[in-house]
Amino acid sequence: MIPIKTVLVVDDDRDIVRLLSDALKYEQFAVIPAYSGEEALHQINENKIDFIILDIMMPGLDGLEVCRTVRQQYNIPILILSARDRDVDKVIGLEIGADDYMTKPFSIQELTSRVKAHFRKLERLQKEWSTMQDESQPQAQCIVDGPLVLNEATFETFLHGKKIELSTKEFQILLYLSLHPNQVLSREQIYENVWGDEYGEINTVTVHIKNIRKKLDKELDCIKTVWGIGYKFVMAGN
């Protein structure tokens, strides 16, 4: 039996929380509501959360600060909601660790599709990863490029033995690229295979790859830009 996934819905607008909760429960998700940033952090510390839908504009502790705090301790996927449709807000949200972004008013169908697509793609990547593993290995891990180690079981990334904090989507992008070494992959391919739906903004891929490169701190220049086409993962020595 597949375990039920738990979604934390955070918004100071109770009508929106109720609307999202009903839609997600219909799709067989468990839902925990929170009506402030402070309550959201309490719920995250007290419960196993698999996905967070997080409003930005809340009184007191706003969504960006909640996202920043969560990323310091947890690797939970975060979809940010905002009434503001400015590119700078999207970039800030993604750069501090959000995995996806939607603006209000939004389509309930689109939002639930994105949540479901996240778990479908996660499952597909895990299966694809499993085919690469040596059955004799006790741990599901793969040395991708010498000093770079990705551990699918824990979603942890290590470079020269030092843990690198990647968000869920950053890890999935790096994993997807590494599973297709030396292949040029377009932003559309990366979005479809990591986010897994027809909605959203392709520029999200660019921001996430920028974050990955920054976190690898130029010690490992493994993601190459192929201008006008996309990106490719280059193995050491190539």
Side-chain angles (χ1 to χ4, degrees):
M1 181 177 178
I2 300 176
I4 295 176
K5 301 299 184 181
T6 300
V7 180
L8 176 67
V9 179
V10 188
D11 200 307
D12 60 322
D13 188 326
R14 290 178 177 268
D15 290 335
I16 289 180
V17 172
R18 182 170 60 252
L19 184 65
L20 290 177
S21 297
D22 290 345
L24 290 165
K25 288 177 181 177
Y26 180 81
E27 298 291 348
Q28 306 302 310
F29 291 102
V31 179
I32 296 176
Y35 305 100
S36 68
E38 292 82 1
E39 184 179 357
L41 294 180
H42 173 75
Q43 294 291 0
I44 292 167
N45 290 329
E46 294 296 322
N47 298 278
K48 183 184 182 300
I49 305 297
D50 299 297
F51 197 97
I52 300 172
I53 298 174
L54 178 63
D55 183 40
I56 286 183
M57 298 180 67
M58 295 184 292
L61 198 65
D62 68 15
L64 293 178
E65 189 57 39
V66 171
C67 181
R68 187 178 291 109
T69 301
V70 171
R71 276 292 163 262
Q72 293 172 356
Q73 304 177 56
Y74 302 101
N75 192 22
I76 306 171
I78 299 174
L79 186 154
I80 281 183
L81 294 177
S82 177
R84 300 180 298 191
D85 190 19
R86 296 191 307 162
D87 287 340
V88 65
D89 295 320
K90 300 176 185 180
V91 171
I92 290 173
L94 295 172
E95 286 189 342
I96 65 175
D99 298 282
D100 207 352
Y101 191 106
M102 291 184 66
T103 55
K104 299 178 181 178
F106 54 85
S107 161
I108 293 294
Q109 180 182 0
E110 177 181 348
L111 189 146
T112 55
S113 292
R114 290 198 192 189
V115 176
K116 292 190 296 182
H118 164 78
F119 292 109
R120 284 199 307 270
K121 289 303 177 182
L122 183 59
E123 181 179 359
R124 181 181 299 179
L125 280 174
Q126 289 173 336
K127 288 181 179 179
E128 189 172 357
W129 181 284
S130 297
T131 62
M132 297 183 63
Q133 305 307 307
D134 183 343
E135 294 182 356
S136 66
Q137 293 294 323
Q139 297 181 352
Q141 72 173 25
C142 176
I143 299 177
V144 177
D145 187 15
L148 180 66
V149 177
L150 303 180
N151 190 316
E152 178 270 338
T154 61
F155 266 51
E156 291 178 313
T157 305
F158 297 89
L159 181 60
H160 298 295
K162 179 182 177 181
K163 185 176 179 180
I164 306 297
E165 297 293 344
L166 299 181
S167 72
T168 302
K169 282 293 183 288
E170 290 165 1
F171 182 92
Q172 289 177 279
I173 289 171
L174 187 56
L175 175 60
Y176 178 64
L177 290 172
S178 71
L179 290 172
H180 302 84
N182 299 313
Q183 295 183 32
V184 180
L185 302 170
S186 68
R187 293 189 301 169
E188 289 78 8
Q189 284 177 293
I190 296 171
Y191 189 91
E192 179 182 351
N193 282 276
V194 174
W195 277 264
D197 61 68
E198 70 273 27
Y199 306 107
E201 299 182 14
I202 301 301
N203 287 336
T204 301
V205 173
T206 304
V207 176
H208 279 81
I209 287 182
K210 176 184 175 183
N211 288 344
I212 294 170
R213 285 170 164 164
K214 185 186 301 182
K215 292 177 180 181
L216 294 180
D217 199 27
K218 298 184 179 180
E219 292 186 38
L220 190 66
D221 185 20
C222 58
I223 301 177
K224 302 293 186 182
T225 299
V226 181
W227 295 107
I229 303 177
Y231 305 92
K232 67 177 179 178
F233 185 91
V234 179
M235 304 294 285
N238 292 347

